[in-house]
Each structure stands twice: as C-alpha cells, then as structure tokens.
Amino acid sequence: MSIARLDNYRTSPLIAVASAAPAAAQQLAAPTLVAVPSETEARGFALYVGVDEATAAAAGTNLGAIVAALRATLAELVPGAGQETYAAVALAPVGTGGRSVEVVRTALRDPRAIDKLVSAPTNSDLPAKGIVIDASRNKVFADGINAELTFKEFQLINYLVENEGNTISRSEIIDFVWADDELNAPNERTIDVHVRRLRSKIAGYEDIIRTVRGGGYRFDKHPDVLIEG
C-alpha cells in the first residue's frame, strides 16, 4: 500500500481521501469526545474516507470534487481554515480485501489500524482470505483485518454459527442477543437493520449469513469461514 498526493492522482482500484468534514468538526467540538493529554493542544484532525473512483463516479462525482466540496464546507464553518488542509489518496494492490476505510487507514499508517494488523491471527495455517471467527476473543477478521464488530454483532454472528444449518428466527435472535438488555431490545423488523450493518462489516462475505424468507437467518458451513477458539 502507498500514499499519493491528490494532485498527482490519476487512477487506482481503491481510493480514499484524508481531509476535513463538517460532521467530524462537530464531533471535535464536543469535549467529551476528544481526549487531549495535558500540556498539549488539538491542532486538527484526520478523516479517512473509503470511497473509490468507481463509487464516486456512480454517484456523479469524483474524488477531486469531493475534496473541493469538503474544503468549501470547512471554509464556511471556519473562515480561512480551508487552506489549512492536506489531501492524500491511499493506493492498494488490485483485489485487496477488507473494508475500504480500513485499507485506507492502514495505507496512511493510522496507529490504530496498524494495531489491528498486529492483533490479527498469525497462525500460518489460516487462509490468506476469508472470515475468521475468533470465539475466544469475540472478534471476527475479514481477510486478516479486524471487522470491529460490536459485542452484540459478534453475539449475533456467533449464535448463527453455533446453530449451523438451523434457521434462527428474528425473535430468537432478540431473546439471545438482548437477553440481558431487554430495555434496549429491538423489535423484529429492526433486526434486519442490525444484520445489514453486520454484513457491511464483512463486505465480500455477506452471503455467509443467509436470509430465509419468512423464517429468519441461517449460517451454513462455508469454505471461506474458519472458526477459532
């Protein structure tokens, strides 16, 4: 993976722009969301965006236009700040797996992204590609990269895996995953939203969670899935 100035960018299979955005600016304005060590001051922030040229083009735009729009918005929020930005693109080999934003963070050497690579399973017998469900650590790795599932998302996929071959109804998922949190338990229609978010975090392997019309969801033994722990 490598980094290139946006000005020099032409084409790449996987792109992301590091720049500023209003949503991030609003979050930074909240003291409870930003931990600044003593004797230091916040001088700015980085926003990693997992959008490639094909996705941008499908939306009728391009990476350069997106960066220009973000800079314009920043200038409106903080006059003069539009010039205090630096945009870069993250280049990755064709076919690189994992979530785009995680590939981007790794290419741009984000410390937490590097930590994820270090924490990924190192067993040489593990497949280079695929899903690894590490039950001992409550983690799921997609192509060696931590999918960063929430605890409940992990419980959901792990429950389906433990009941391999069986269709699990939405009500049964609620009863298991939210057994200790009934106050915040979703309804059956909302379960589809949780499953959709889970699938988005294992992009490329969404089909390991099968939808059974009128029944719920099911996990069948899959060659791309390795269960550890």
Side-chain angles (χ1 to χ4, degrees):
M1 299 178 191
S2 58
I3 305 170
R5 282 294 303 272
L6 185 64
D7 297 339
N8 299 326
Y9 172 73
R10 291 295 177 269
T11 59
S12 172
L14 185 58
I15 313 295
V17 179
S19 185
Q26 292 171 2
Q27 289 183 336
L28 286 176
T32 56
L33 297 181
V34 181
V36 179
S38 59
E39 300 183 0
T40 65
E41 62 178 358
R43 295 295 300 271
F45 62 91
L47 172 67
Y48 301 99
V49 182
V51 176
D52 57 45
E53 277 286 23
T55 302
T61 186
N62 58 67
L63 299 186
I66 293 173
V67 173
L70 292 175
R71 282 176 168 159
T73 300
L74 179 61
E76 291 180 6
L77 293 173
V78 185
Q83 301 302 314
E84 293 293 324
T85 65
Y86 177 87
V89 295
L91 309 179
V94 175
T96 299
R99 297 176 62 205
S100 294
V101 70
E102 296 303 329
V103 175
V104 169
R105 291 176 61 196
T106 302
L108 298 179
R109 310 301 294 174
D110 176 62
R112 293 189 178 182
I114 300 302
D115 286 344
K116 284 187 210 171
L117 291 180
V118 174
S119 65
T122 57
N123 188 329
S124 60
D125 294 330
L126 295 185
K129 289 185 175 293
I131 295 292
V132 175
I133 300 175
D134 188 341
S136 64
R137 293 190 292 169
N138 294 341
K139 293 180 182 295
V140 171
F141 297 90
D143 293 336
I145 298 176
N146 189 346
E148 288 197 334
L149 302 189
T150 66
F151 180 65
K152 292 194 180 301
E153 287 171 344
F154 179 82
Q155 283 187 305
L156 196 162
I157 191 171
N158 196 50
Y159 188 63
L160 293 175
V161 169
E162 288 179 342
N163 289 275
E164 178 185 313
N166 297 317
T167 298
I168 307 300
S169 69
R170 292 169 177 78
S171 61
E172 185 176 347
I173 290 174
I174 294 172
D175 290 341
F176 176 79
V177 178
W178 282 269
D180 299 324
D181 191 18
E182 295 183 4
L183 185 63
N184 296 308
N187 57 46
E188 292 188 24
R189 299 177 69 181
T190 312
I191 285 297
D192 295 338
V193 176
H194 288 277
V195 171
R196 195 155 54 240
R197 289 174 181 167
L198 170 57
R199 282 172 168 162
S200 72
K201 292 185 178 182
I202 54 173
Y205 301 99
E206 302 94 332
D207 62 336
I208 69 172
I209 301 175
R210 297 185 58 187
T211 300
V212 180
R213 178 170 292 187
Y217 296 96
R218 188 176 76 206
F219 170 82
D220 292 320
K221 190 171 183 178
H222 198 287
D224 290 329
V225 178
L226 178 66
I227 303 170
E228 288 271 295

